[in-house]
């Protein structure tokens, strides 16, 4: 029982629709786990249940030994789980610096300390120089960086990235991949990456978990997942699975 995150038999229903059905997975400290699956497979719902945005109907979620199944999002964040959003949720009418300071205020009440931490993370995420810009005026790629910086400002041990690279150009995607690698290497975080771009998620992940229709259909190392018949049929098809 050394896992940082343990999701045990998580089920989440929306009326008659079962968005997550009996999902079990674990993430070890410092591990990068790819979470993949077709549209509507339940990836974001699982992030919502882990981060306290929603609560699972059945099952248990533990983080760093604590039962977080029924905790609110603020408590879970304070324990060390941070996330970004599939549809970016930067505070558009606030500056870039203030956005990241909001994250830092989760750990300190001192404005000067929050500012120092936020500036350091803007440097780290490549947003230095954008401090006074209103978040609404950033490019999509920079908004996604900003969300990552704000999430990091809460000083997490686990970072949940929900399609942090979708909609980006190949160059922007490469920069985002580099950022994820540095978060892992330099900050030592465990990271769960939801992403549809297989060329990104496969090389990045130590382990991949596949959801389909709310159920976990496979789990393993990327090189095994791309050869898994069930996964190829449900999701990968010919575009990535063939010939590997
Ligand atoms: N708040 C909600 N109310 C009702 N149904 C929902 C809600 N959130 C998600 N769903 C449904 O639950 C299922 C899983 O959705 P979810 O957003 O978790 O999928 P996903 O794997 O993240 O998909 P995508 O790759 O398109 O982002 C879908 O059928 C979706 O329509
Ligand atoms: Mg989603």
């Amino acid at each position: 029982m050394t896992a940082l995150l343990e999701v045990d038999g998580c089920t989440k229903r929306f009326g008659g629709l079962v968005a997550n059905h009996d999902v079990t997975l674990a993430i070890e400290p410092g591990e990068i786990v790819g979470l993949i699956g077709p549209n509507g497979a339940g990836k974001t719902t699982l992030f919502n249940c882990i981060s306290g945005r929603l609560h699972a109907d059945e099952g248990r979620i533990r983080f760093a030994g604590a039962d977080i199944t029924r905790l609110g999002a603020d408590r879970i964040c304070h324990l060390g789980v941070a996330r970004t959003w599939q549809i970016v949720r930067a505070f558009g009418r606030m500056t870039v610096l203030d956005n990241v300071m909001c994250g830092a205020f989760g750990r300190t009440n001192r404005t000067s300390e929050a500012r120092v931490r936020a500036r350091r993370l803007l440097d780290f995420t490549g947003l230095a120089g954008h401090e006074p810009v209103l978040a609404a005026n950033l490019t999509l790629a920079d908004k996604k960086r900003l969300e990552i910086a704000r999430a990091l400002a809460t000083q997490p041990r686990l970072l949940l990235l929900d399609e942090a690279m979708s909609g980006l150009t190949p160059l922007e995607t490469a920069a985002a991949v580099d950022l994820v690698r540095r978060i892992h290497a330099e900050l030592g975080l465990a990271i769960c990456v939801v992403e549809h771009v297989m060329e990104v998620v496969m090389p990045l992940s130590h382990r991949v978990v596949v959801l389909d229709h709310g159920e976990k259909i496979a789990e393993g190392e990327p090189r095994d997942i791309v050869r898994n018949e069930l996964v190829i049929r449900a999701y990968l098809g010919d575009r990535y699975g063939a010939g590997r």
Side-chain angles (χ1 to χ4, degrees):
M1 299 283 271
T2 57
L4 183 61
L5 177 78
E6 293 168 279
V7 176
D8 184 14
C10 180
T11 292
K12 178 68 192 174
R13 298 184 193 88
F14 297 109
L17 184 117
V18 187
N20 287 155
H21 181 239
D22 196 19
V23 175
T24 293
L25 65 88
I27 299 179
E28 307 292 331
E31 192 179 27
I32 303 180
V33 174
L35 180 61
I36 65 171
N39 294 119
K43 306 177 296 294
T44 297
T45 301
L46 190 60
F47 272 13
N48 284 339
C49 290
I50 295 168
S51 63
R53 170 81 177 74
L54 299 172
H55 291 131
D57 298 312
E58 288 163 35
R60 283 268 156 268
I61 305 178
R62 296 174 69 80
F63 179 74
D67 188 334
I68 63 168
T69 321
R70 306 255 149 245
L71 295 187
D74 54 336
R75 295 274 309 281
I76 293 174
C77 179
H78 202 257
L79 284 171
V81 180
R83 70 169 300 173
T84 64
W85 300 86
Q86 183 167 350
I87 297 165
V88 286
R89 291 193 180 188
F91 303 129
R93 291 165 71 183
M94 288 170 60
T95 67
V96 164
L97 181 63
D98 286 347
N99 263 273
V100 183
M101 284 176 70
C102 283
F105 280 129
R107 292 286 170 193
T108 178
N109 290 327
R110 291 174 49 207
T111 306
S112 56
E113 198 180 323
R115 191 178 295 117
V116 167
R117 194 175 298 158
R119 284 189 187 284
R120 208 179 300 141
L121 284 165
L122 289 172
D123 272 346
F124 184 79
T125 52
L127 283 170
H130 289 80
E131 286 84 350
V133 176
L134 289 185
N137 294 335
L138 292 177
T139 63
L140 177 64
D142 283 345
K143 279 183 187 146
K144 291 194 175 237
R145 277 172 192 278
L146 178 62
E147 280 213 331
I148 292 175
R150 186 177 60 189
L152 291 175
T154 67
Q155 297 183 311
R157 295 170 65 190
L158 171 65
L159 180 61
L160 308 174
L161 296 178
D162 197 351
E163 300 200 21
M165 292 154 212
S166 70
L168 305 190
T169 66
L171 262 182
E172 290 167 343
T173 301
V177 169
D178 177 63
L179 176 58
V180 174
R181 287 195 197 283
R182 286 192 295 114
I183 291 168
H184 176 255
E186 295 175 33
L187 307 180
L189 267 60
I191 306 172
C192 186
V193 186
V194 166
E195 206 57 61
H196 284 290
V197 184
M198 291 307 106
E199 289 75 6
V200 166
V201 77
M202 291 301 181
L204 200 53
S205 304
H206 303 138
R207 199 155 52 80
V208 174
V209 172
V210 189
L211 293 183
D212 184 34
H213 293 295
E215 301 201 14
K216 184 172 85 174
I217 60 164
E219 174 175 10
E221 289 185 27
R223 61 171 179 219
D224 297 326
I225 291 295
V226 298
R227 292 196 197 99
N228 183 308
E229 277 305 321
L230 216 53
V231 179
I232 291 170
R233 227 174 301 136
Y235 181 51
L236 293 180
D238 292 335
R239 65 198 160 113
Y240 199 83
R244 285 172 195 259

